[in-house]
Amino acid sequence: LAQLNPYEYNPAKAAELLESIGFTKGKDGLWIDDQGNPMDYDLMVHLEFTDWASSVQNAAKQLEEFGIKVTIRGITRSQAPQEMWSGRFEIGTNWWGAGNPHPHFSFYADLITYNYPQGQGPGMNFPLVQETDEFGTVDIHDAIVATADGLDTELQAENVAKLAMIFNDLLPIIPLWERYANSPAVEGVRVVEFPAEDDVTWLNSQADDPIAIFLFKGILDPVQK
């Protein structure tokens, strides 16, 4: 973690980066790119996901305060993946990572699932062969495969760390937020007692459900009626 850039909130640095590539800020406070076009974009979000909609509203507000105009475009959840696979978006939101203990699946979800040639179009259109400062020319697809290749867990850990550094450097996706699943638990009704809150199993995602793990371990007792 000490080797990763946390990208602290810094609007002045953001302005410096844009100015370094020829962007300017107009008298109306909106940024103009190096071709003279206003930075004015649609931001696509799954219409029915209220938590996503709230996070997108927050992102749009921050961008507009900085000088980038954003129009939120709600797409029904069944159509939103098709829009992204087809590349019919300017800024797209989606889930990032994957609910699996092994990092391979998160890298795949972020960099392959909605990218060419997956699906029926260009998707996010992020080239998988990239030049990196730390590792030179890298084929990211091969790097993703290497994170889960073989049974040598120490080698896998090295490959995961390498790809994490590459992702952090290139930043093809900007994570907005993350959350734990909601799992209401009432003791004394169906289960005698749940493990304490500091049990590490509670950190699992929904895809590796803590309750299922507790059942497998035989540490949940049913209420006798």
Side-chain angles (χ1 to χ4, degrees):
L1 289 176
Q3 299 180 67
L4 301 180
N5 184 351
Y7 293 101
E8 300 289 353
Y9 182 71
N10 191 338
K13 179 66 174 178
E16 180 185 323
L17 288 171
L18 289 180
E19 289 169 351
S20 72
I21 57 174
F23 286 40
T24 57
K25 207 167 190 179
K27 294 181 179 180
D28 58 0
L30 298 178
W31 284 93
I32 300 170
D33 68 18
D34 58 339
Q35 304 298 316
N37 302 309
M39 295 186 72
D40 182 351
Y41 306 110
D42 280 353
L43 200 169
M44 184 182 76
V45 65
H46 295 56
L47 190 61
E48 294 87 354
F49 296 173
T50 55
D51 51 350
W52 289 27
S54 297
S55 68
V56 162
Q57 287 175 342
N58 180 275
K61 183 174 183 291
Q62 292 188 57
L63 287 168
E64 289 181 344
E65 288 175 351
F66 177 68
I68 298 175
K69 187 176 179 180
V70 172
T71 301
I72 297 174
R73 181 165 65 99
I75 301 294
T76 188
R77 59 178 297 184
S78 60
Q79 182 61 28
Q82 311 305 321
E83 297 295 295
M84 185 158 282
W85 273 317
S86 300
R88 293 191 294 263
F89 67 96
E90 292 181 312
I91 306 176
T93 54
N94 219 316
W95 43 67
W96 65 283
N100 192 292
H102 199 292
H104 166 86
F105 299 95
S106 290
F107 286 126
Y108 192 95
D110 287 347
L111 296 162
I112 302 296
T113 300
Y114 288 102
N115 201 7
Y116 179 84
Q118 186 86 358
Q120 61 272 65
M124 60 193 285
N125 202 25
F126 181 73
L128 292 178
V129 177
Q130 290 280 341
E131 288 294 327
T132 68
D133 293 335
E134 188 77 18
F135 305 102
T137 304
V138 175
D139 186 316
I140 292 178
H141 182 273
D142 291 347
I144 293 173
V145 172
T147 62
D149 193 21
L151 300 175
D152 185 337
T153 55
E154 290 187 4
L155 180 59
Q156 285 190 9
E158 291 177 9
N159 290 331
V160 167
K162 174 182 176 181
L163 191 48
M165 292 176 67
I166 292 170
F167 186 99
N168 180 253
D169 179 38
L170 300 175
L171 206 64
I173 293 172
I174 301 176
L176 292 180
W177 55 281
E178 59 184 1
R179 56 162 287 188
Y180 290 121
N182 297 327
S183 299
V186 181
E187 294 180 331
V189 178
R190 298 180 66 185
V191 174
V192 174
E193 185 179 22
F194 287 97
E197 290 184 11
D198 60 359
D199 189 304
V200 69
T201 311
W202 287 119
L203 297 177
N204 283 7
S205 72
Q206 286 178 307
D208 209 36
D209 197 295
I211 302 302
I213 301 298
F214 293 143
L215 288 172
F216 292 148
K217 290 182 176 179
I219 58 177
L220 284 183
D221 296 318
V223 172
Q224 301 297 326
K225 296 182 180 180

